[in-house]
């Protein structure tokens, strides 16, 4: 009988809260936080019309069965925290047993955090291979004034963190493209890595890859050992563009040949596109300003719009 009753005040306290505009990560997730809200609101309205609170228990908003789900947040435990640069960290999350997230290439997850009493959601792309067993890893940059960053900075080993997904991704098929040209700015490197690792891990895949990583300084290049390993493959080239380095002389000699100082501009893009061994299909990931610039430079270099994909 208890479930049937409920004052107006109780019902209003159970009404789902509409997400604020900044809670949408803007990555085109299906379902988006607003779609999840609409669904929950409809369920609340049905339950209220029938004065039956048990109808609200249809689905849990959070899950602890460690199965990733696009609609509900699932808790994962942090198993390690590694600082890569002064503001960038690599976090490893535990998966039960030897299970795997089974992500498609370049798919992202949505993280939920609370900072200053506000709920925030942001999209991040795991950098671990999609079939990694027992864990997944995420590269995260913390910004001085970022709400999510304030939350992330409090993390330590053993904390539980809520994720939902997966979303998006790049529909990659081995040997579909002659060459992939990857243009990544900072943590835009994240969706490129699983694709690159799937190519180098598949002896049948003969796709050429040219990765162009844009960072401020040599110190700020993430995951150097991993990138150096990948660059040893016969079909992989990696270039670094360092916007705040003035001279290549103080870089290790193994980097000097494939590193440029300054910004990734139209001339450099033309040179890289012309040096590709086959007609490239381009993948772009970075800030919206970076994506707009790359879009313009690629057009000038003769790359048509159906020949690139923006994460």
């Amino acid at each position: 009988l208890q479930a049937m009753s409920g004052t107006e005040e109780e019902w209003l306290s159970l009404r789902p809260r509409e997400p604020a505009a900044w809670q949408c990560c803007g990555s085109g997730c299906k379902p988006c936080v607003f779609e999840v809200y609409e669904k929950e609101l409809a369920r609340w309205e049905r339950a209220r019309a029938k004065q039956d609170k048990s109808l609200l228990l249809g689905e849990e908003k959070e899950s602890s069965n460690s199965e990733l789900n696009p609609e509900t947040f699932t808790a994962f435990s942090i198993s390690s925290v590694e600082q890569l640069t002064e503001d960038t960290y690599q976090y490893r999350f535990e998966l039960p047993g030897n299970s795997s997230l089974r992500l498609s290439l370049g798919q992202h997850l949505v993280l939920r955090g609370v900072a200053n009493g506000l709920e925030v959601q942001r999209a991040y792309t795991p950098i671990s291979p999609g079939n990694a067993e027992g864990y997944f890893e995420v590269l995260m940059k913390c910004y001085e004034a970022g709400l999510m960053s304030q939350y992330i900075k409090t993390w330590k080993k053993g904390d539980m963190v809520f994720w939902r997904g997966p979303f998006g991704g790049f529909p990659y098929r081995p040997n579909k493209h002659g060459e992939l040209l990857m243009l990544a700015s900072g943590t835009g490197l994240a969706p490129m890595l699983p694709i690159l690792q799937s190519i180098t891990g598949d002896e049948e895949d003969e796709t050429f890859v040219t990765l162009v990583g844009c960072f401020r300084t040599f110190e700020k290049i993430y995951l150097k050992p991993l990138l150096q390993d990948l660059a040893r493959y016969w079909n992989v080239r990696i270039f670094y563009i360092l916007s705040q380095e003035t001279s290549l002389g103080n870089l290790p000699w193994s980097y000097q040949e494939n590193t440029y100082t300054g910004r990734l501009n139209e001339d450099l893009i033309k040179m890289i596109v012309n040096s590709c061994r086959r007609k490239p299909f381009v993948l772009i990931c970075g800030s919206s300003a970076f994506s707009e610039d790359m879009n313009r430079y690629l057009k000038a270099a003769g790359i048509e719009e159906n020949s690139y994909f923006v994460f």
Side-chain angles (χ1 to χ4, degrees):
L1 209 95
Q2 184 94 43
M4 294 289 289
S5 63
T7 63
E8 188 63 12
E9 209 171 291
E10 276 177 359
W11 278 106
L12 288 176
S13 73
L14 293 169
R15 183 191 168 103
R17 287 228 307 278
E18 182 168 4
W22 45 260
Q23 283 177 280
C24 170
C25 69
S27 301
C29 304
K30 287 265 170 269
C32 169
V33 281
F34 289 104
E35 291 170 335
V36 172
Y37 163 73
E38 294 293 342
K39 206 169 158 186
E40 288 176 348
L41 184 63
R43 196 165 74 227
W44 175 81
E45 283 168 348
R46 277 197 308 275
R48 184 182 175 202
K50 294 188 171 167
Q51 287 290 302
D52 183 356
K53 284 186 195 161
S54 67
L55 294 176
L56 293 174
L57 305 173
E59 297 163 48
E60 284 299 307
K61 200 174 170 194
E62 289 175 0
S63 146
S64 53
N65 66 0
S66 297
E67 273 289 307
L68 195 61
N69 179 320
E71 304 212 6
T72 55
F73 282 96
T74 302
F76 294 94
S77 163
I78 298 173
S79 57
S80 73
V81 178
E82 191 186 340
Q83 186 163 0
L84 301 180
T85 67
E86 78 234 25
D87 57 4
T88 309
Y89 299 81
Q90 182 174 345
Y91 295 94
R92 180 175 274 219
F93 297 89
E94 218 171 287
L95 291 172
N98 273 344
S99 65
S100 156
L101 284 183
R102 294 186 297 281
L103 296 183
S104 299
L105 294 173
Q107 282 194 309
H108 66 267
L109 308 179
V110 171
L111 168 69
R112 188 183 70 194
V114 177
N116 298 350
L118 294 171
E119 184 182 294
V120 239
Q121 300 193 15
R122 291 279 179 277
Y124 294 93
T125 306
I127 55 169
S128 41
N131 57 357
E133 294 181 348
Y135 75 95
F136 66 96
E137 287 176 327
V138 183
L139 185 64
M140 291 174 158
K141 182 171 179 171
C142 290
Y143 296 90
E144 207 44 57
L147 271 179
M148 185 61 95
S149 300
Q150 289 169 31
Y151 166 63
I152 291 170
K153 282 177 192 163
T154 67
W155 287 358
K156 53 198 185 306
K157 193 179 164 181
D159 284 355
M160 297 303 271
V161 174
F162 286 92
W163 294 96
R164 70 182 175 97
F167 304 103
F170 169 61
Y172 180 74
R173 283 207 320 277
N175 299 310
K176 181 183 176 186
H177 306 286
E179 180 151 0
L180 286 180
L181 170 56
M182 301 175 164
L183 306 176
S185 172
T187 48
L189 189 63
M192 309 302 183
L193 290 174
I195 298 170
L196 196 40
Q197 288 171 301
S198 94
I199 292 170
T200 56
D202 178 357
E203 285 183 6
E204 306 286 304
D205 194 342
E206 298 185 350
T207 306
F208 282 116
V209 181
T210 297
L211 169 63
V212 181
C214 302
F215 301 93
R216 284 193 195 150
T217 61
F218 180 72
E219 293 304 309
K220 288 199 156 70
I221 298 174
Y222 314 128
L223 309 166
K224 289 191 191 81
L226 172 61
L227 293 172
Q228 290 291 73
D229 281 348
L230 290 167
R232 291 194 183 98
Y233 283 87
W234 65 275
N235 51 344
V236 176
R237 298 187 302 173
I238 299 182
F239 293 110
Y240 300 99
I241 317 287
L242 306 177
S243 59
Q244 290 174 12
E245 288 283 355
T246 46
S247 139
L248 296 177
N250 43 16
L251 265 54
W253 67 266
S254 61
Y255 282 87
Q256 292 181 17
E257 199 186 335
N258 55 351
T259 301
Y260 297 85
T261 58
R263 301 189 79 82
L264 182 51
N265 56 28
E266 193 175 309
D267 291 342
L268 210 41
I269 285 283
K270 278 185 180 160
M271 194 237 13
I272 291 169
V273 166
N274 292 335
S275 75
C276 284
R277 292 138 296 187
R278 296 177 183 149
K279 186 170 184 270
F281 185 90
V282 189
L283 302 179
I284 303 169
C285 191
S287 66
S288 51
F290 177 80
S291 300
E292 279 167 32
D293 287 345
M294 294 309 113
N295 197 333
R296 225 172 37 251
Y297 303 156
L298 288 167
K299 245 178 216 146
I303 301 284
E304 303 93 30
E305 223 159 286
N306 61 357
S307 292
Y308 56 86
F309 178 90
V310 181
F311 283 100

